[in-house]
């Protein structure tokens, strides 16, 4: 297998296409956006990810990677398109459907199709395979299919693409072995083989495990407000136990993974996935819990101006998908007695107006930190104290130096501290 067609040049598809090209494969990157195709063919990138630009540039300059708007014939097809959820929390498999249909007439005997997109259990077997069978090729004899989910951490994608262990689910042993050959070209971590549905469940359970644990931390935060303790201190001391790992409370769970994948299980078995469903609801209640905490703090300030620090779904990324901050912004904007300025050094394009640094703090009545971007640790409270109207800051990530802010006469409020 010498050539690979990667469908979807986003957070996963683009690094994967580039690494495969750097390892000698002829790689045809495919994306539906002409703009993205143009950016990549110019050796540039459309997403913020450390080291990715260098990797893409090298891959393009090597001549092994070229981006297209339509699929190209190849030995291997990797589908790495989004699998979001709809408003009703049901899986949206339309991107997989479009990508799979777009390669049906390109498939030849001996080809391998790998679905990397995180998918509800049974997607490869019951949704993808029927589409691929329209090629008239016999699955398992002429056409081979595998599911190989990724588990990279945005912000560390390239390192984790290479070092993380990989799970490969094949429709049969040959499909799994063929997929393993592809990943062995760049994966240093162990590669474990299984069937497609198990591989789908493995990926979803990794993120569901995290979401349930974050929900436990957020429930602890709510309880701590009620009984008058500091949830962060409780977690820190409890985590001294060798087998306890209480996660961090937050203003909500964002991103296109942790806040999405558990819903795939709830959709499949709603009567059984009760803890999973409840955990999602607890995490999705945190933006409102944070808004209520804010309103409590400014209840005596008419027409308060709020300064929001950070709108991305987590620290040091530019991704605002499913960000809890967006939900808090909507609540603030729906309150006619509030004004809002937003500052996030990582975000260039956003649905709401972004302010400059000084402008964001000027005349502020309350600073609400919703994302623990590294830069925010270096904000000088003494300088800020001169331009705000009211010295009040709410830290939802336990990320600021409380003493430093209190020394400049700020009232410091911590999400999770009663
Ligand atoms: N969060 C908390 N408390 C915590 C940890 C995270 O509230 O203790 C929040 C974050 O603020 C963020 C959300 O959860 O809003 C998700 O953050 P994350 O640190 O889980 O990062 P992701 O979503 O970028 O990456 C996760 C990772 N999954 C696991 O750690 C099990 C990554 O390995 C996956 O590859 C990725 O999802 C994915 O693409 O599926």
């Amino acid at each position: 297998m010498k050539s690979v067609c990667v469908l979807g040049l986003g957070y996963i598809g683009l690094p994967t296409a580039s690494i495969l090209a750097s390892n000698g494969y002829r790689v045809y990157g495919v994306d539906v956006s002409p703009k993205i195709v143009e950016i990549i063919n110019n050796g540039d990138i459309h997403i913020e990810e450390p080291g990715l630009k260098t990797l893409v540039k090298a891959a393009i300059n090597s001549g092994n990677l070229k981006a297209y708007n339509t699929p190209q014939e190849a030995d291997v097809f990797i589908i790495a398109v989004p699998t979001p959820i709809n408003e009703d929390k049901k899986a949206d498999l339309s991107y997989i459907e479009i990508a799979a249909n777009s390669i049906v007439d390109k498939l030849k005997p001996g080809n391998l199709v790998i679905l990397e997109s995180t998918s509800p259990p049974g997607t490869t077997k019951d949704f993808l395979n029927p589409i691929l069978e329209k090629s008239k090729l016999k699955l398992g004899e002429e056409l081979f299919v595998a599911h190989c989910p990724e588990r990279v951490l945005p912000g560390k994608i390239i390192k984790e693409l290479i070092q993380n262990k990989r799970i490969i689910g094949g429709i049969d042993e040959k499909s799994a072995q063929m997929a393993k050959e592809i990943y062995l070209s760049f994966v240093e971590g162990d590669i474990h083989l299984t069937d497609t549905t198990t591989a789908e469940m493995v990926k979803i359970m990794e993120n569901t495990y995290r979401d349930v644990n974050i929900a436990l931390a957020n429930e602890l935060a709510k309880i701590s407000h009620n009984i008058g303790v500091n949830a962060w201190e409780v977690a820190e001391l409890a985590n001294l136990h060798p087998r306890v790992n209480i996660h961090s409370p937050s203003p909500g769970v964002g991103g296109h993974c942790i806040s999405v994948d558990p819903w795939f299980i709830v959709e499949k078995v709603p009567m059984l996935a009760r803890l999973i469903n409840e955990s999602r609801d607890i995490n999705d209640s945190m933006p409102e819990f944070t808004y209520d905490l804010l309103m409590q703090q400014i209840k005596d300030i008419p027409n308060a101006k709020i300064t929001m620090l950070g709108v991305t779904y987590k620290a040091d990324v530019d991704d605002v998908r499913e960000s809890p901050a967006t939900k808090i912004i909507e609540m603030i904007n729906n309150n006619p007695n509030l004004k809002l300025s937003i500052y996030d050094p990582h975000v260039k394009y956003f649905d709401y107006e972004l302010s400059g640094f000084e402008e964001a703090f000027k005349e502020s009545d309350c600073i609400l930190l919703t994302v623990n971007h590294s830069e925010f640790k270096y904000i000088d409270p003494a300088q800020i104290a001169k331009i705000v109207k009211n010295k009040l800051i709410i830290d939802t990530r336990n990320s600021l130096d409380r003493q430093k802010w209190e020394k400049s006469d700020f009232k410091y409020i911590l999400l999770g501290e009663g």
Side-chain angles (χ1 to χ4, degrees):
M1 293 177 284
K2 298 271 179 291
S3 58
V4 185
C5 179
V6 179
L7 296 114
L9 299 176
Y11 287 85
I12 301 305
L14 181 56
T16 302
S18 305
I19 283 183
L20 285 166
S22 306
N23 282 278
Y25 286 95
R26 183 127 188 68
V27 182
Y28 311 109
V30 180
D31 201 285
V32 291
S33 155
K35 182 121 185 57
I36 289 178
V37 168
E38 185 194 350
I39 290 170
I40 290 167
N41 283 333
N42 292 338
D44 206 341
I45 57 175
H46 58 295
I47 44 186
E48 179 185 317
E49 179 60 37
L52 181 59
K53 183 166 180 171
T54 309
L55 183 67
V56 172
K57 214 177 192 64
I60 293 285
N61 292 345
S62 75
N64 280 345
L65 172 63
K66 191 164 173 29
Y68 300 81
N69 272 133
T70 53
Q72 309 296 309
E73 291 204 351
D75 299 326
V76 183
F77 294 84
I78 295 179
I79 299 175
V81 296
T83 46
I85 46 171
N86 296 318
E87 276 302 303
D88 59 0
K89 308 299 182 195
K90 301 279 184 273
D92 173 1
L93 302 182
S94 60
Y95 295 91
I96 293 180
E97 187 171 18
I98 292 164
N101 277 308
S102 75
I103 62 173
V104 165
D105 61 355
K106 298 275 186 266
L107 296 172
K108 299 188 306 298
N111 280 175
L112 168 66
V113 177
I114 299 172
L115 175 63
E116 284 208 357
S117 309
T118 305
S119 304
T123 299
T124 306
K125 196 160 57 71
D126 305 330
F127 184 81
L128 176 62
N129 287 353
I131 297 173
L132 299 180
E133 281 172 331
K134 291 194 287 190
S135 64
K136 304 282 179 271
L137 294 171
K138 278 189 72 47
L139 297 193
E141 288 172 36
E142 298 172 298
L143 183 63
F144 302 91
V145 186
H147 173 63
C148 184
E150 44 69 34
R151 45 170 55 138
V152 297
L153 191 72
K156 296 184 183 151
I157 289 181
I158 296 168
K159 175 171 167 283
E160 293 211 350
L161 261 185
I162 293 168
Q163 294 179 356
N164 284 3
K165 298 179 179 72
R166 289 298 292 239
I167 310 297
I168 297 176
I171 57 169
D172 55 19
E173 178 64 22
K174 181 166 171 47
S175 298
Q177 289 295 350
M178 287 173 73
K180 181 175 179 178
E181 179 190 320
I182 299 297
Y183 289 101
L184 276 176
S185 71
F186 67 88
V187 172
E188 292 169 2
D190 298 340
I191 295 180
H192 298 264
L193 307 186
T194 183
D195 65 275
T196 59
T197 304
T198 302
E200 286 157 349
M201 272 308 279
V202 165
K203 169 65 187 178
I204 296 169
M205 281 311 295
E206 288 165 2
N207 285 347
T208 299
Y209 162 84
R210 190 159 174 80
D211 194 54
V212 168
N213 276 282
I214 294 168
L216 179 62
N218 280 326
E219 186 150 279
L220 168 63
K222 291 181 174 181
I223 294 166
S224 300
H225 273 280
N226 182 281
I227 65 173
V229 294
N230 178 336
W232 301 86
E233 185 185 4
V234 170
E236 186 188 351
L237 297 179
N239 289 346
L240 295 175
H241 186 292
R243 286 176 300 287
V244 172
N245 174 26
I246 297 174
H247 287 27
S248 303
S250 61
V253 169
H256 52 301
C257 317
I258 304 292
S259 61
V260 170
D261 300 356
W263 288 120
F264 291 166
I265 301 182
V266 172
E267 178 182 1
K268 190 92 182 166
V269 282
M271 302 315 289
L272 296 173
R274 291 172 44 222
L275 172 64
I276 294 171
N277 197 344
E278 193 58 38
S279 297
R280 284 276 68 245
D281 290 345
I282 290 167
N283 287 330
D284 282 354
S285 77
M286 292 313 288
E288 186 168 1
F289 185 82
T290 304
Y291 175 77
D292 293 346
L293 180 64
L294 168 69
M295 294 313 289
Q296 204 184 353
Q297 292 302 322
I298 60 169
K299 61 182 185 300
D300 302 326
I301 304 174
N303 301 317
K305 173 186 171 180
I306 313 300
T307 302
M308 179 176 278
L309 292 186
V311 292
T312 55
Y313 81 91
K314 70 172 187 179
D316 301 334
V317 298
D318 67 344
D319 195 345
V320 295
R321 282 181 288 187
E322 303 289 323
S323 172
T326 307
K327 299 178 178 72
I328 298 168
I329 289 168
E330 284 157 11
M331 287 183 258
I332 292 173
N333 285 346
N334 286 339
N335 182 330
N337 304 319
L338 297 178
K339 290 189 294 298
L340 175 64
S341 285
I342 304 168
Y343 175 70
D344 189 321
H346 289 261
V347 174
K348 290 186 276 294
Y349 315 104
F350 191 47
D351 296 346
Y352 299 91
E353 189 192 346
L354 296 168
S355 301
F357 184 82
E358 298 272 329
E359 182 199 342
F361 287 101
K362 204 151 104 310
E363 295 297 301
S364 173
D365 291 293
C366 179
I367 302 165
L368 175 65
L369 181 142
T370 63
V371 185
N372 44 327
H373 286 317
S374 306
E375 296 89 334
F376 294 162
K377 290 180 185 55
Y378 305 104
I379 294 175
D380 175 8
Q383 182 208 348
I384 302 300
K386 291 180 194 136
I387 49 179
V388 298
K389 198 159 91 189
N390 183 40
K391 298 187 188 70
L392 169 60
I393 185 158
I394 299 174
D395 183 355
T396 67
R397 300 282 184 164
N398 193 31
S399 64
L400 296 174
D401 179 339
R402 176 192 223 124
Q403 276 69 31
K404 206 167 83 168
W405 285 85
E406 288 178 339
K407 216 163 78 183
S408 292
D409 299 329
F410 273 87
K411 183 180 180 190
Y412 175 92
I413 299 295
L414 178 62
L415 173 73
E417 182 178 33

